[in-house]
Amino acid sequence: MPLLDEDRLFPPEPALRDLARALYEDVRDLPIVSPHGHTDPRWFAENQPFPDPAQLFVTPDHYLFRMLASQGVALTDLGVPRVDGGPTETDGRKIWRLFASNYHLFAGTPSRLWLDHSFQHVFGIDRRLSAQTADWYYDHISDCLTRPEFLPRALYERFGIEVLATTEAATDDLRWHRAIRESGWRGRVVTAYRPDGVIDPEMPGFADNVALLGQQTGFDTATWAGYLAAHRARRAYFREFGATSSDHGHPSARTEDLPQAEAAALFQKALRGDCTPAEADAFRGHMLTEMARMSLEDGLVLQIHPGSRRNHSDAVMAMFGRDKGFDIPGRTDYVTALRPLLNAVGMCPDLTVILFTLDESSYARELAPLAGAYPCLRLGPPWWFHDSPEGMRRFREMTTETAGFSNTVGFNDDTRAFCSIPARHDVARRVDCAFLATLVATGRLDSEEAPPLAHELTYGLAKRAYRL
């Protein structure tokens, strides 16, 4: 029996379901444009087999960590490395058995949809994962991973990916992107400029990171002018490796447009480690406006991912470090927070700022009205905790009435889990087709308008918004 229902996520009413299915059939095989994510470019540079099923599916996926941790599973038993190099499980089969014995915890979650999609469509599996089938799964997937058709580049091509963006720190040397380019492989894997480590004074090693930025560019980053020049130089370097966007993961959406002397003074305090939390937030906010001005110069799309209260557990942070499933959404203000940036550059149609949120209450109240007015603004798709069928539907319901479709940017998967990319895009395509079918059935959209809109939501909007 297949793991997945062919009509999953379509409306239950027969006529609506038929319409959604017809729209989906037109877009299901369109190429995947993945304009923002966190897959490892080294996979495509070296094109080596993935080590084992646990390292492919479990160890890199914080969606899985957090669910299992919530039920008392120790992260060390899942093979999550410790920052002190202490003992953690390294036997892939043991990790897989533990994961399989707890697979029932993911019932009804998007993780379950993504995983079952990968099991069925990537590895040809037709039986449910459980403690009883764990070893069969492990052996079957392990055998597949030894074959040429399961190497990273082969999977990229099988998934129908047209372009895949990774995300690298501003100080990354981009060696793996260089290796991809020099290999002659035709797959399009591009980078994105993530400067948080040299913009956020509260980041560990901020001053050292800024000094490294100076070493890499030849500018004196102990000065405000040299610091800004170094950013411009690194952005140009990233553009050489295909970057069309920058990405900013700030605690809030705060922006500032400070006088240059005041910004320079704050920068000096940041280098000394003397910023108060409020001053650090002001500096981050000002740098978003500086980044927007640089985007007007070099064309990089500016992505803002605010509102995550990162590393909520001190104990997990101390033992395992960042990005281990303990980032929690928080309330986020956009109307007041973005006003300084928007007053500075918001009416510039040549600028694209893509807004994301973890605060769904802001969709109809703040984000859609802002994007529905300012020519620079676009709304990113549901992100992180809301990257789910329900979250995607709520997004369309709460933003379309004010911002329409053209002020959104299609879908991006924003994932570290490579095999989930086609699964996530398939979910988005199904949900969008179901939403369009509902608009047609309720007389808000003509039947001939729906197919080209489905194409735009699947493919066209992302290509244009991210300048790909």
Side-chain angles (χ1 to χ4, degrees), residues 139-252:
D139 292 336
H140 176 80
I141 295 174
S142 294
D143 177 66
C144 289
L145 293 178
T146 65
R147 304 176 197 166
E149 61 266 32
F150 288 89
L151 292 174
R153 293 181 184 180
L155 289 176
Y156 174 104
E157 292 161 3
R158 175 146 63 107
F159 293 165
I161 297 174
E162 180 177 305
V163 57
L164 175 68
T166 66
T167 306
E168 276 71 51
T171 52
D172 192 288
D173 61 13
L174 302 185
R175 69 179 65 182
W176 302 117
H177 283 276
R178 182 181 297 278
I180 292 170
R181 186 171 67 183
E182 293 175 351
S183 73
W185 178 53
R186 296 175 64 106
R188 190 179 175 196
V189 178
V190 302
T191 186
Y193 186 66
R194 180 73 176 248
D196 294 359
V198 291
I199 279 180
D200 184 353
E202 296 181 315
M203 276 275 196
F206 170 76
D208 291 339
N209 292 338
V210 171
L212 176 57
L213 190 73
Q215 294 168 19
Q216 292 174 322
T217 60
F219 290 100
D220 182 4
T221 52
T223 69
W224 175 240
Y227 171 69
L228 294 181
H231 273 291
R232 289 185 172 91
R234 288 303 285 175
R235 289 165 67 100
Y237 182 69
F238 272 61
R239 289 180 65 212
E240 291 179 22
F241 292 91
T244 66
S245 67
S246 66
D247 183 41
H248 307 267
H250 289 198
S252 73

Side-chain angles (χ1 to χ4, degrees), residues 63-387:
Y63 286 89
L64 305 186
F65 295 165
R66 66 189 323 274
M67 175 64 81
L68 296 170
S70 76
Q71 294 292 304
V73 176
L75 295 185
T76 50
D77 291 340
L78 295 169
V80 179
R82 291 170 44 161
V83 295
D84 63 359
T88 189
E89 185 58 69
T90 58
D91 186 325
R93 188 178 293 273
K94 287 184 180 178
I95 295 169
W96 187 262
R97 286 173 175 169
L98 179 60
F99 167 58
S101 67
N102 286 282
Y103 194 57
H104 62 279
L105 299 175
F106 297 96
T109 68
S111 293
R112 167 73 173 270
L113 273 177
W114 302 331
L115 288 162
D116 282 353
H117 188 284
S118 299
F119 296 152
Q120 179 173 316
H121 290 283
V122 180
F123 294 98
I125 294 171
D126 61 0
R127 62 190 77 176
R128 187 74 61 202
L129 179 61
S130 65
Q132 290 71 39
T133 61
D135 281 339
W136 182 89
Y137 257 79
Y138 191 88
D139 292 336
H140 176 80
I141 295 174
S142 294
D143 177 66
C144 289
L145 293 178
T146 65
R147 304 176 197 166
E149 61 266 32
F150 288 89
L151 292 174
R153 293 181 184 180
L155 289 176
Y156 174 104
E157 292 161 3
R158 175 146 63 107
F159 293 165
I161 297 174
E162 180 177 305
V163 57
L164 175 68
T166 66
T167 306
E168 276 71 51
T171 52
D172 192 288
D173 61 13
L174 302 185
R175 69 179 65 182
W176 302 117
H177 283 276
R178 182 181 297 278
I180 292 170
R181 186 171 67 183
E182 293 175 351
S183 73
W185 178 53
R186 296 175 64 106
R188 190 179 175 196
V189 178
V190 302
T191 186
Y193 186 66
R194 180 73 176 248
D196 294 359
V198 291
I199 279 180
D200 184 353
E202 296 181 315
M203 276 275 196
F206 170 76
D208 291 339
N209 292 338
V210 171
L212 176 57
L213 190 73
Q215 294 168 19
Q216 292 174 322
T217 60
F219 290 100
D220 182 4
T221 52
T223 69
W224 175 240
Y227 171 69
L228 294 181
H231 273 291
R232 289 185 172 91
R234 288 303 285 175
R235 289 165 67 100
Y237 182 69
F238 272 61
R239 289 180 65 212
E240 291 179 22
F241 292 91
T244 66
S245 67
S246 66
D247 183 41
H248 307 267
H250 289 198
S252 73
R254 179 179 179 177
T255 64
E256 296 288 350
D257 189 16
L258 303 173
Q260 288 296 295
E262 187 176 337
L266 261 185
F267 175 61
Q268 292 303 321
K269 292 191 75 171
L271 287 181
R272 296 193 302 268
D274 292 339
C275 280
T276 66
E279 288 171 331
D281 200 36
F283 183 75
R284 287 189 295 263
H286 178 77
M287 285 307 299
L288 279 179
T289 304
E290 293 287 357
M291 291 289 108
R293 289 194 175 102
M294 290 183 196
S295 288
L296 280 170
E297 298 169 5
D298 62 23
L300 290 187
V301 173
L302 178 71
Q303 300 178 97
I304 305 177
H305 283 86
S308 177
R309 307 306 191 253
R310 295 182 184 271
N311 311 304
H312 193 269
S313 168
D314 292 342
V316 170
M317 176 63 177
M319 181 171 286
F320 300 101
R322 305 173 63 84
D323 302 323
K324 296 301 183 291
F326 281 81
D327 300 336
I328 309 298
R331 291 185 297 273
T332 305
D333 164 68
Y334 293 89
V335 173
T336 303
L338 291 173
R339 194 175 186 193
L341 183 152
L342 294 174
N343 275 332
V345 295
M347 298 305 292
C348 298
D350 292 337
L351 173 67
T352 299
V353 178
I354 300 177
L355 303 175
F356 294 81
T357 192
L358 293 175
D359 180 1
E360 286 190 317
S361 69
S362 67
Y363 279 148
R365 186 185 65 245
E366 301 182 34
L367 289 173
L370 284 166
Y374 284 95
C376 78
L377 292 183
R378 297 291 182 269
L379 301 184
W383 168 45
W384 208 336
F385 295 90
H386 308 305
D387 181 14

